[in-house]
Amino acid sequence: MEHFTITLAQLNPTVGDIPGNIKKIKDVYAKHKKQADLIAFTEMVVVGYPTDDLILKPSFIDRVMKDVEQLAKEIDGGGAGLLISAPWRHEGKVYSAAMLLHDGKIVAKRFKHHLPNYGVFDEGRVFTPGDLPLPVDFKGASLGIMTCEDMWYPDVTAHLKKNGAQILIVPNGSPYEVDKTHIRQHIAQERVKESGLPLVYINQIGGQDELVFDGASFVLDNKGKLLTQLPSHEEYTSTTIWDQATWTCKSCETTHAPYTGSESIYQTLVLGLRDYVNKNGFPGILLAMSGGIDSALSAAIAVDALGADRVRCFMLPSPYTSQESVDDAAECSQLLGIKHGSVSIKPAMEAFDVMIKQASNENSKGLTAENIQARSRGVFMMTMSNATGYMVLSTGNKSEMSVGYATLYGDMCGGYNALKDVYKMTVFELCKWRNQSHPQNARGFAAGNLKGPAGRVIPERIITKPPTAELRPNQKDEDSLPPYKVLDDILTCIVEDEMNLDQITARGHDPATVNRVWKMLDRAEYKRRQACPGVKISRKAFGRDRRYPITNKFTDIVTG
């Protein structure tokens, strides 16, 4: 054979939907079986990724093995081989297995050697590590197959090279983080440099709970040069043709540059929200539109993800809500083309006052009165969710979640939060970007039918006015918090970078302010445990990335 043709299949599987995922595989096979020698899919494409403790369920593994064996029988003899990935039981243990299907059977299995057990990954508790894999001989080619984490260490590549591999093929489930595309390519280039072998990297796309997989699969030649890159944030297939004598690429697509900067973050938020809503079967989204920047950005993301016909907003004014906020909320809804209702929460506030008076013979005041407003809104939104089946979208940002500037069972209510891992200053940047852009966020989902309107969708006054919860007269966020630019930098130092007090103050921050923020961060852990899931974009999101005890006496804070 003079040429070896590899098709990369960058798909969006759904966790647990084994029949649906296999249908996706078969659809790609039907389209490419005559032109490709090998069709390579992403990590765990049969079951979706990450599958978490479904792996521990014997009936789940039984079903996977039965359906994969049936899929193998349906592969036409003499056509393309399928490189798929699924959990697999072998001698009583369960492995993460890459499998080659061809001519009616499973012709090879290679088990994942390195199991990630950090951050959002806990594969060490559900899988058994495999031995260092040997190459797979297929149609005259020696394929070095290694799954995801195996690429991040040199030993697997070295073992494959030593045993005669001619090309490295890497199925992946690598979730999005800001600027992670460059890190993946750098690691891949290191493996190519060490081995002198070309490398094919196939990464999953789609949202799975808090994780979003951005795709951006790529191919490197044996010098580490980027030959082609698939688009990010969408399903895509691409075919490469290799000279089998020299393993140089004779044909591949033009590279699709991945999204960068604010566009990259925005597309990730859209994809994460879209998949969470659609994969869980919600008909649409309900949103409390306050006239503030967080709810405005959340509404724009929701419309771009689902379309205006599946998003409904409510303005829920209290006696402290300004006419400016009422007008801004209405204008934002109009610009986005979404249904907008207004319901006063004053009757609910008065009812709570009566109840409190009966219980304590006192009127509500201070923080109690403020939280009554937030909880009245939360009860109303969740009630409307019950009535319509629509999911409530929470709108708090990472800055607020960090320091507990949010009300449990109030503005924290909801089924999902697109901004959960987005600091406040990034919220401002995303709003400005969206007003100047028409995101191409539906290419792989709706045949180019863009969901949201072009141009300005967030009124300028929402972006420029001082942030406020409007729970008391003349309230501003900075009455309770440091300026967001200061707050976000301190939080990044503590949360993402694990700096100590001296390192943070060396950046020019006041020690008293750092201590104050640190105390608020620690005290708010119990609130974050009760927050709804939301999109992860940073290297350390709250939840599986950062697991701190609620009851915790350790501190780096200066107390003297």
mmCIF file of all heavy atoms in Angstrom, residues 245-264:
data_model
loop_
_atom_site.group_PDB
_atom_site.id
_atom_site.type_symbol
_atom_site.label_atom_id
_atom_site.label_comp_id
_atom_site.label_asym_id
_atom_site.label_seq_id
_atom_site.Cartn_x
_atom_site.Cartn_y
_atom_site.Cartn_z
ATOM 1 N N ALA A 245 5.531 5.051 2.899
ATOM 2 C CA ALA A 245 6.967 4.758 2.893
ATOM 3 C C ALA A 245 7.736 5.723 3.797
ATOM 4 O O ALA A 245 8.680 5.329 4.493
ATOM 5 C CB ALA A 245 7.508 4.823 1.470
ATOM 6 N N THR A 246 7.329 6.989 3.781
ATOM 7 C CA THR A 246 8.068 8.020 4.526
ATOM 8 C C THR A 246 7.266 8.609 5.689
ATOM 9 O O THR A 246 7.807 9.353 6.489
ATOM 10 C CB THR A 246 8.445 9.169 3.582
ATOM 11 O OG1 THR A 246 7.238 9.757 3.049
ATOM 12 C CG2 THR A 246 9.308 8.662 2.427
ATOM 13 N N TRP A 247 5.986 8.292 5.743
ATOM 14 C CA TRP A 247 5.055 8.867 6.722
ATOM 15 C C TRP A 247 5.099 10.394 6.730
ATOM 16 O O TRP A 247 5.171 11.049 7.766
ATOM 17 C CB TRP A 247 5.269 8.275 8.109
ATOM 18 C CG TRP A 247 4.717 6.875 8.141
ATOM 19 C CD1 TRP A 247 5.403 5.723 8.010
ATOM 20 C CD2 TRP A 247 3.324 6.512 8.224
ATOM 21 N NE1 TRP A 247 4.549 4.640 8.006
ATOM 22 C CE2 TRP A 247 3.261 5.107 8.144
ATOM 23 C CE3 TRP A 247 2.127 7.239 8.350
ATOM 24 C CZ2 TRP A 247 2.053 4.406 8.175
ATOM 25 C CZ3 TRP A 247 0.935 6.547 8.403
ATOM 26 C CH2 TRP A 247 0.897 5.141 8.317
ATOM 27 N N THR A 248 5.069 10.911 5.510
ATOM 28 C CA THR A 248 4.837 12.341 5.318
ATOM 29 C C THR A 248 3.404 12.512 4.842
ATOM 30 O O THR A 248 2.866 11.656 4.130
ATOM 31 C CB THR A 248 5.805 12.929 4.274
ATOM 32 O OG1 THR A 248 5.703 12.173 3.061
ATOM 33 C CG2 THR A 248 7.238 12.901 4.784
ATOM 34 N N CYS A 249 2.790 13.612 5.247
ATOM 35 C CA CYS A 249 1.386 13.847 4.919
ATOM 36 C C CYS A 249 1.294 14.437 3.511
ATOM 37 O O CYS A 249 1.881 15.484 3.218
ATOM 38 C CB CYS A 249 0.758 14.789 5.932
ATOM 39 S SG CYS A 249 -1.037 14.925 5.775
ATOM 40 N N LYS A 250 0.568 13.746 2.623
ATOM 41 C CA LYS A 250 0.427 14.179 1.244
ATOM 42 C C LYS A 250 -0.794 15.061 1.030
ATOM 43 O O LYS A 250 -0.867 15.809 0.054
ATOM 44 C CB LYS A 250 0.341 12.956 0.321
ATOM 45 C CG LYS A 250 1.620 12.131 0.271
ATOM 46 C CD LYS A 250 2.774 12.975 -0.207
ATOM 47 C CE LYS A 250 4.046 12.187 -0.358
ATOM 48 N NZ LYS A 250 5.181 13.043 -0.760
ATOM 49 N N SER A 251 -1.767 14.952 1.930
ATOM 50 C CA SER A 251 -2.987 15.744 1.753
ATOM 51 C C SER A 251 -3.653 15.952 3.105
ATOM 52 O O SER A 251 -3.868 14.999 3.852
ATOM 53 C CB SER A 251 -3.958 15.031 0.803
ATOM 54 O OG SER A 251 -5.181 15.738 0.703
ATOM 55 N N CYS A 252 -3.941 17.199 3.385
ATOM 56 C CA CYS A 252 -4.710 17.523 4.593
ATOM 57 C C CYS A 252 -5.362 18.889 4.401
ATOM 58 O O CYS A 252 -4.960 19.666 3.541
ATOM 59 C CB CYS A 252 -3.834 17.514 5.833
ATOM 60 S SG CYS A 252 -2.461 18.670 5.797
ATOM 61 N N GLU A 253 -6.375 19.149 5.196
ATOM 62 C CA GLU A 253 -7.127 20.398 5.085
ATOM 63 C C GLU A 253 -6.311 21.598 5.516
ATOM 64 O O GLU A 253 -5.357 21.472 6.278
ATOM 65 C CB GLU A 253 -8.331 20.360 6.037
ATOM 66 C CG GLU A 253 -9.547 19.816 5.569
ATOM 67 C CD GLU A 253 -10.712 20.048 6.502
ATOM 68 O OE1 GLU A 253 -11.080 21.203 6.735
ATOM 69 O OE2 GLU A 253 -11.255 19.053 6.958
ATOM 70 N N THR A 254 -6.772 22.758 5.092
ATOM 71 C CA THR A 254 -6.243 24.007 5.623
ATOM 72 C C THR A 254 -6.564 24.089 7.110
ATOM 73 O O THR A 254 -7.632 23.670 7.558
ATOM 74 C CB THR A 254 -6.875 25.214 4.902
ATOM 75 O OG1 THR A 254 -6.609 25.099 3.503
ATOM 76 C CG2 THR A 254 -6.325 26.525 5.422
ATOM 77 N N THR A 255 -5.643 24.614 7.882
ATOM 78 C CA THR A 255 -5.838 24.727 9.330
ATOM 79 C C THR A 255 -6.949 25.714 9.661
ATOM 80 O O THR A 255 -7.041 26.797 9.079
ATOM 81 C CB THR A 255 -4.521 25.170 10.001
ATOM 82 O OG1 THR A 255 -3.589 24.101 9.913
ATOM 83 C CG2 THR A 255 -4.736 25.536 11.455
ATOM 84 N N HIS A 256 -7.807 25.342 10.604
ATOM 85 C CA HIS A 256 -8.831 26.232 11.137
ATOM 86 C C HIS A 256 -8.307 26.807 12.459
ATOM 87 O O HIS A 256 -8.153 26.068 13.438
ATOM 88 C CB HIS A 256 -10.131 25.478 11.395
ATOM 89 C CG HIS A 256 -10.716 24.840 10.177
ATOM 90 N ND1 HIS A 256 -11.733 25.417 9.447
ATOM 91 C CD2 HIS A 256 -10.420 23.671 9.551
ATOM 92 C CE1 HIS A 256 -12.047 24.630 8.433
ATOM 93 N NE2 HIS A 256 -11.267 23.569 8.472
ATOM 94 N N ALA A 257 -8.016 28.074 12.492
ATOM 95 C CA ALA A 257 -7.481 28.670 13.714
ATOM 96 C C ALA A 257 -8.519 28.589 14.829
ATOM 97 O O ALA A 257 -9.683 28.947 14.627
ATOM 98 C CB ALA A 257 -7.105 30.127 13.466
ATOM 99 N N PRO A 258 -8.136 28.105 16.009
ATOM 100 C CA PRO A 258 -9.096 28.035 17.107
ATOM 101 C C PRO A 258 -9.453 29.425 17.616
ATOM 102 O O PRO A 258 -8.713 30.388 17.399
ATOM 103 C CB PRO A 258 -8.347 27.235 18.174
ATOM 104 C CG PRO A 258 -6.903 27.441 17.873
ATOM 105 C CD PRO A 258 -6.814 27.581 16.380
ATOM 106 N N TYR A 259 -10.587 29.526 18.270
ATOM 107 C CA TYR A 259 -10.976 30.789 18.882
ATOM 108 C C TYR A 259 -9.949 31.196 19.939
ATOM 109 O O TYR A 259 -9.328 30.350 20.588
ATOM 110 C CB TYR A 259 -12.342 30.673 19.540
ATOM 111 C CG TYR A 259 -13.473 30.339 18.594
ATOM 112 C CD1 TYR A 259 -14.224 29.174 18.778
ATOM 113 C CD2 TYR A 259 -13.798 31.182 17.539
ATOM 114 C CE1 TYR A 259 -15.272 28.863 17.920
ATOM 115 C CE2 TYR A 259 -14.844 30.876 16.682
ATOM 116 C CZ TYR A 259 -15.576 29.716 16.868
ATOM 117 O OH TYR A 259 -16.607 29.410 16.022
ATOM 118 N N THR A 260 -9.799 32.490 20.128
ATOM 119 C CA THR A 260 -8.872 33.007 21.132
ATOM 120 C C THR A 260 -9.554 34.112 21.935
ATOM 121 O O THR A 260 -10.597 34.632 21.540
ATOM 122 C CB THR A 260 -7.597 33.567 20.486
ATOM 123 O OG1 THR A 260 -7.959 34.625 19.570
ATOM 124 C CG2 THR A 260 -6.837 32.491 19.733
ATOM 125 N N GLY A 261 -8.944 34.463 23.065
ATOM 126 C CA GLY A 261 -9.391 35.604 23.853
ATOM 127 C C GLY A 261 -10.828 35.503 24.303
ATOM 128 O O GLY A 261 -11.334 34.438 24.661
ATOM 129 N N SER A 262 -11.524 36.641 24.258
ATOM 130 C CA SER A 262 -12.914 36.707 24.713
ATOM 131 C C SER A 262 -13.816 35.813 23.876
ATOM 132 O O SER A 262 -14.758 35.207 24.402
ATOM 133 C CB SER A 262 -13.421 38.156 24.655
ATOM 134 O OG SER A 262 -12.745 38.967 25.585
ATOM 135 N N GLU A 263 -13.527 35.701 22.584
ATOM 136 C CA GLU A 263 -14.350 34.850 21.733
ATOM 137 C C GLU A 263 -14.271 33.391 22.170
ATOM 138 O O GLU A 263 -15.275 32.674 22.196
ATOM 139 C CB GLU A 263 -13.938 34.978 20.272
ATOM 140 C CG GLU A 263 -14.830 34.182 19.334
ATOM 141 C CD GLU A 263 -14.526 34.424 17.865
ATOM 142 O OE1 GLU A 263 -13.404 34.849 17.551
ATOM 143 O OE2 GLU A 263 -15.429 34.196 17.031
ATOM 144 N N SER A 264 -13.076 32.955 22.541
ATOM 145 C CA SER A 264 -12.895 31.582 22.992
ATOM 146 C C SER A 264 -13.708 31.303 24.258
ATOM 147 O O SER A 264 -14.398 30.282 24.370
ATOM 148 C CB SER A 264 -11.403 31.323 23.251
ATOM 149 O OG SER A 264 -11.201 30.049 23.803
#
